[in-house]
Amino acid sequence: MSIETTYQAMKNKLAKVVPDVELRIKAELVEEINRLKIEKNAVILGHNYMEPALYHTIPDYTGDSLYLSRMAAKTDKDIIVFCGVKFMAETAKILNPSRTVLIPSMRAGCSLAESITAEDVRQLKQRYPGVPVIAYVNTYADVKAEVDICCTSGNAVAVVESFGSQTVIFLPDEYLARNVARETGKHIIFPSISGPANPAAADELDFQMVGWRGRCEVHEKFTVKDIQNIRSQFPDVLILAHPECSPEVTMASDMSGSTSEMIKFIEKSSAPQYLLLTECSMGDNIAAALPAKEMLRLCSVRCPHMNQITLEDTLKSLQLNRYAINLPDDIIQRAAQSVERMVAIG
Ligand code: 13P
Ligand code: SF4
């Protein structure tokens, strides 16, 4: 394609959400990234939170964590460029270790992944011997290597239910764990691992889930008051909340699901307006893909990590083969078991 054709294609899709002056600059970057992608036999995976001029142009696959993990596992390309955050790129490396996996910015972290260490998991296992451990995919590779299975927001309930009535440890997102506990009817506790266990404590006598107090710094900010305010202004708005929001927020919303589940829900429904309680780029991406849908946006709440990934850095990533994800072989081997189990469920 020529830069002019790329610009026209971008304009057709993005004119309502990206100003023309920016489209002209970004078309040049897109053109060069797409040329290099073919030259280097690379595949680009783009998470649903990427900004619209990136999301709608360079990825071969876009989606939620579960779908992108599956695409990473399947690809036969030499290079996987992951336009998402570091734990996602690590998951791609674990699933397809013979490929070069690149992430355009090493600053793309995640408050949930930062909230727990492999040593924390070892201590919990000592405290609850024999209890299966489930880790949300938003964790680093050394944590994944300590657990029995991983899950994403797209299959968390199915993964917990796969253990039947057994008690499970579910890490590290407090709110996702509370939402899953509610859906599966399990009583959840959040023990402190610093002090000795207290088997006589009332809440330690009868429980089916053990959680951890990690939080997503984005989703924890949404409140029931935000929902009430929006509903008073737009009485027929349909509100969709990511399950990393508090249970109070997910219960006050009309639907809760993974980022891709939210997109599918909107595609099928016909409300006069929609509000996503998640990273606001997703509202832009849906507005561009489905112009008939009116998207309301709460853009004061942003994921600083996902927003590190730009077209400029993605181009540099392909030009300079940076930043490559490297993990110790034993961590890859141990983490692969829990991640492959995750990919197979739901
Ligand atoms: P999804 O798996 O639903 O795409 O969520 C990833 C994430 O980081 C949400 O904040
Ligand atoms: Fe992590 Fe939250 Fe950002 Fe998702 S939105 S990457 S959970 S900090």
Side-chain angles (χ1 to χ4, degrees), residues 10-302:
M10 288 171 73
K11 194 173 165 184
N12 288 344
K13 182 147 243 176
L14 300 167
K16 274 193 175 164
V17 291
V18 185
D20 193 63
V21 59
E22 202 168 300
L23 283 180
R24 288 236 170 247
I25 298 166
K26 292 192 170 174
E28 288 185 29
L29 295 164
V30 168
E31 179 69 13
E32 185 55 9
I33 291 168
N34 284 337
R35 190 191 65 75
L36 266 181
K37 183 170 71 170
I38 296 168
E39 186 182 301
K40 299 193 104 173
N41 196 30
V43 62
I44 299 185
L45 306 181
H47 186 262
N48 290 327
Y49 288 165
M50 292 297 102
E51 59 117 346
L54 186 160
Y55 180 84
H56 284 292
T57 54
I58 58 166
D60 299 282
Y61 302 99
T62 54
D64 62 8
S65 310
L66 188 58
Y67 178 74
L68 295 180
S69 299
R70 289 184 172 138
M71 294 307 107
K74 267 193 202 165
T75 190
D76 58 1
K77 300 283 184 192
D78 296 327
I79 300 175
I80 301 171
V81 181
F82 214 118
C83 291
V85 289
K86 196 171 147 225
F87 74 78
M88 295 179 177
E90 282 192 354
T91 306
K93 185 72 183 174
I94 292 164
L95 285 164
N96 209 338
S98 62
R99 312 290 148 188
T100 297
V101 178
L102 303 176
I103 182 155
S105 168
M106 284 305 269
R107 290 195 302 265
C110 171
S111 66
L112 281 171
E114 299 297 332
S115 73
I116 192 157
T117 64
E119 179 53 27
D120 292 331
V121 182
R122 286 191 285 272
Q123 286 196 32
L124 271 168
K125 288 199 291 191
Q126 254 178 27
R127 186 161 179 158
Y128 299 97
V131 175
V133 187
I134 304 169
Y136 191 28
V137 73
N138 297 36
T139 44
Y140 290 125
D142 57 344
V143 166
K144 290 184 170 83
E146 293 292 336
V147 307
D148 297 291
I149 186 167
C150 291
C151 71
T152 72
S153 57
N155 68 0
V157 169
V159 168
V160 169
E161 282 178 343
S162 73
F163 289 94
S165 57
Q166 252 184 297
T167 295
V168 294
I169 298 173
F170 188 103
L171 311 165
D173 186 356
E174 173 184 344
Y175 286 162
L176 178 65
R178 286 192 192 278
N179 281 312
V180 171
R182 188 170 49 83
E183 274 194 60
T184 55
K186 288 186 185 274
H187 172 213
I188 185 163
I189 60 161
F190 292 86
S192 144
I193 53 166
S194 50
N198 179 4
D203 71 346
E204 293 208 12
L205 289 176
D206 172 32
F207 57 87
Q208 298 89 33
M209 251 171 110
V210 176
W212 187 257
R213 292 203 190 271
R215 297 265 182 95
C216 163
E217 68 190 89
V218 178
H219 293 95
E220 71 171 350
K221 294 207 179 89
F222 297 112
T223 63
V224 173
K225 210 165 166 201
D226 293 333
I227 294 178
Q228 287 161 348
N229 281 342
I230 296 279
R231 288 204 198 280
S232 66
Q233 200 181 344
F234 302 95
D236 297 320
V237 65
L238 207 120
I239 300 184
L240 301 93
H242 195 274
E244 290 167 12
C245 295
S246 73
E248 293 73 25
V249 165
T250 56
M251 278 190 291
S253 302
D254 300 298
M255 180 271 177
S256 176
S258 81
T259 53
S260 288
E261 286 165 348
M262 289 195 256
I263 296 171
K264 284 182 200 133
F265 197 89
I266 293 177
E267 279 168 354
K268 286 193 194 131
S269 56
S270 55
Q273 298 95 18
Y274 301 89
L275 175 74
L276 300 175
L277 298 179
T278 195
E279 157 60 38
C280 90
S281 286
M282 232 181 87
D284 290 335
N285 290 337
I286 298 175
L290 307 168
K293 311 279 179 183
E294 189 185 335
M295 304 301 299
L296 307 177
R297 274 156 266 179
L298 287 182
C299 288
S300 53
V301 182
R302 303 300 305 254

